[in-house]
Amino acid sequence: MNSYSDQRPEPDTVRRQLAVYFIMGSINCPDRSPVAVLREAIAGGVTLFQFREKGAGALTGQAAYELARELQAVCREGGVPFIVNDDVDMAAALGADGIHVGQEDAPADSLRDRLGYKAIVGVSAHTLEEAGRAIRDGADYLGIGPVYPTRSKHDARTVQGTRLIQELRGLGIDIPLVGIGGITPGNAPPVLAAGADGVSVISAISGAEDPRQAAAALAALHG
Ligand code: 3NM
């Protein structure tokens, strides 16, 4: 019998989904409704959304679950896949379109099997070795960062620019890739030029005065 690890999302579909990858939790937009911000962002052109409820003051338990469900509904309305950060139980309970994990978490294939359906599994990688392991373990895409300094992740690694993205592409590794960390519409072009399929951002959209316009500016970079 096939496991779900054998039923991977199509790489070219994932590539397109990574174009404008928005990540948000309640602490990323303290002064307004996350639901309203996500709606605007999707109207502007977000292609993938990750619910990342982390950090001081983050919601937990039922409150986190309820917000996730509301945001998932906004994604469904907008035709944008909904991914959960780290919490495979929440992803399974919601029937999320995928999960994004770090290096400490279970291997990608086992997460997909655990979800029990064809899910997008993304993994953060900060070195060539981590990238290689994630690919062997069945990741559908890699998040590479931090490209630029970020204020959104307190335990972020050393800023590495686009070096690892270029290195992976130089080695002929064609897994879908997304850059992360301090990316804005203004500094995103070198990330794409280095070979990333898209950029993932928290503050460039959640902290923007006009999240719709910020998402549109990122979408426009893909021509
Ligand atoms: N992961 P912003 S950097 C969630 O390097 C996350 O793996 C990173 O937020 C990594 O777009 C980061 O506001 C924060 O800089 C990204």
Side-chain angles (χ1 to χ4, degrees):
M1 203 181 88
N2 286 348
S3 72
Y4 283 96
S5 332
D6 301 325
Q7 303 179 29
R8 303 270 298 273
E10 277 301 313
D12 283 343
T13 304
V14 177
R15 259 183 250 290
R16 281 192 298 275
Q17 290 168 335
L18 292 178
V20 185
Y21 186 175
F22 180 36
I23 304 174
M24 181 180 64
S26 60
I27 66 165
N28 303 124
C29 49
D31 304 327
R32 37 188 189 182
S33 141
V35 167
V37 169
L38 181 57
R39 234 180 228 129
E40 285 297 300
I42 290 176
V46 159
T47 52
L48 184 62
F49 175 69
Q50 180 191 130
F51 178 61
R52 182 176 182 275
E53 192 60 29
K54 262 194 176 168
L59 302 173
T60 57
Q62 194 58 24
Y65 188 87
E66 273 163 26
L67 176 58
R69 251 204 340 226
E70 280 185 81
L71 296 174
Q72 182 183 32
V74 173
C75 284
R76 279 201 179 133
E77 243 168 64
V80 167
F82 172 87
I83 286 187
V84 170
N85 181 276
D86 277 357
D87 188 340
V88 69
D89 293 330
M90 178 188 277
L94 291 168
D97 299 294
I99 181 149
H100 185 95
V101 296
Q103 290 290 320
E104 324 64 51
D105 301 286
D109 272 340
S110 73
L111 289 166
R112 196 179 294 101
D113 278 345
R114 168 114 184 262
L115 286 175
Y117 51 86
K118 180 168 150 179
I120 306 164
V121 182
V123 179
S124 298
H126 310 90
T127 64
L128 202 51
E129 195 195 357
E130 289 182 357
R133 187 165 53 231
I135 292 167
R136 283 193 301 280
D137 287 347
D140 296 305
Y141 74 85
L142 303 180
I144 307 287
V147 175
Y148 302 117
T150 177
R151 290 179 169 192
S152 307
K153 183 174 165 70
H154 296 301
D155 56 352
R157 309 279 187 92
T158 310
V159 170
Q160 57 165 303
T162 58
R163 188 183 45 78
L164 181 55
I165 298 170
Q166 279 171 292
E167 210 175 339
L168 288 163
R169 292 310 192 214
L171 290 166
I173 294 170
D174 69 350
I175 187 168
L177 289 182
V178 70
I180 184 163
I183 298 174
T184 65
N187 67 20
V191 185
L192 300 174
D197 298 292
V199 292
S200 51
V201 305
I202 298 179
S203 51
I205 294 179
S206 68
E209 203 169 300
D210 183 341
R212 183 191 296 227
Q213 196 272 330
L218 289 168
L221 299 174
H222 292 273

